[in-house]
Amino acid sequence: MPFRARTAIFRWSLHSVPYSIHHHQPHSLHSSSSSILLKFTSLAQPQVNGKSVETCDDDGFLSWLERKAGCRISSSLSIGKSSYGRSLFASKAIKTGDCILKVPYRVQITADNLPAKIKSLISEEVANVAKLAVLLLIERKLGQDSQWNPYICRLPWQEELHNTIFWNESELEMIHRSSVYWETINQKSQIERDFLAIRPIFECFSQSFGDITYKDFMYACTLVGSRAWGSTNGLSLIPFADFVNHDGNSEAIVMSDDDKQLSEVISDRDYAPGEQVLIRYGKFSNATLMLDFGFTVPYNIYDQVQIQLDIPKHDPLHKMKLELMQQYFVPSRKNAENLKHSWNIFTIKEVKWPKGKGKGLPQSLRAFARVLSCTNRQELDDLVVEAAQTDGRLGRRPLPDVNKEIQAHLMLSSLIGKLIEERSAAIMSLEESSNCSSFCVRVPVRRFMARDLLRGELRILNSAFTWLENYCLSST
């Protein structure tokens, strides 16, 4: 079973169990460098808002893909337009459990399709997402000479994308209180590093490529990151399947059958003819959706907030506490591979039961607060002894001193209270700027995305704050 990929360069989303796949030889796009020396079209993107935009007739796309695949892809779906852009709709009644599309591996686009001479020049350290981005640039440059042109010309242009890496400084300022702001900065830096590693290859084939800029490469990486599907064997673009839109509540996902050598989608509910068909990309928060996919949803059940705690520099026990934190608060292997995780960064999810056990508020965060509340070495030593006598985890049990336990949780509620104030002020600022005539036409969409993000994070923080208040009251 595959998972929706937000690219190996940026972050992998392991929300589904990776499936094992057998080695297969994908259909070759080009067999030699000579095929690269075809007439390339310009990468200049068609403009929106008053200027002409390249259009593609969707009616013939599915029949083109089925001819290329040599089999039926779907008899129950058709391409149409929705408020989200190109989308898939039920062309007839669909029942729960129906297989609504099947796309063979041979018509999926992977980094293995790179021309051999170019592929040999790309370092193994370059991730598949960057390799696939290079392939996408080659095919887009080929224009109508590309065998994938009917698919390539239907991919969105940069002007249509709202991933946060395309936001300008004033737009990013709307979300600077959220961790997605720094994730955006880090993502840009990673793409730039990959571009610097690949640029010499573009220069070697400059006669064919022309000028491939960082902006071109960033655009291609974003297309791959928002549209590709990943498995243990890497990434692949799946034509037609990537036109289906996201619904976080859907149980339908893209699955792959290695025996049949195809990817498929099974409907999780009934659809009437003409109704838009949706699947779930993953259990993604709005921060993830806006960073990697360029959209948000008004109420996202998977929203979460990242917070960072630091040991005050003036704390007399700073050195000892720091050593304990680094020893005991080690991220899991999965999180350790993700640069945004650290021993002092915690992810809060919605605490649904104000008087429950606090599920959603990490136990490690509460343990961190207990360590911070210690005022002498003996209290810290006692925590270490307790950890050795139990499960080896530091500060996971309530402190023996009730007042200390309350103090630790009041410290958390104070921190979260400040974050609530910041999010509330940011939301108010967004609402006040909604009538500002100086904003360009794209900003309202991005302002709505920022509002969805901040409102979701505010909801999460309020739930944590309420639980902490109740816990302190019940402990007295």
Side-chain angles (χ1 to χ4, degrees), residues 262-285:
L262 56 79
S263 300
E264 62 185 0
V265 173
I266 307 298
S267 179
D268 67 326
R269 68 177 183 86
D270 295 348
Y271 287 94
E275 191 174 358
Q276 184 178 180
V277 174
L278 303 167
I279 65 172
R280 188 183 71 225
Y281 295 171
K283 297 179 179 180
F284 298 146
S285 67

Side-chain angles (χ1 to χ4, degrees), residues 50 69 73 81 117 145 157-158 234 237 248 322 341 360 383 459:
I73 300 293
K81 294 294 179 65
K117 288 192 174 181
D145 291 319
W157 293 93
Q158 182 173 321
L237 291 165
L322 181 60
H341 285 89
L383 288 178
R459 187 182 78 251

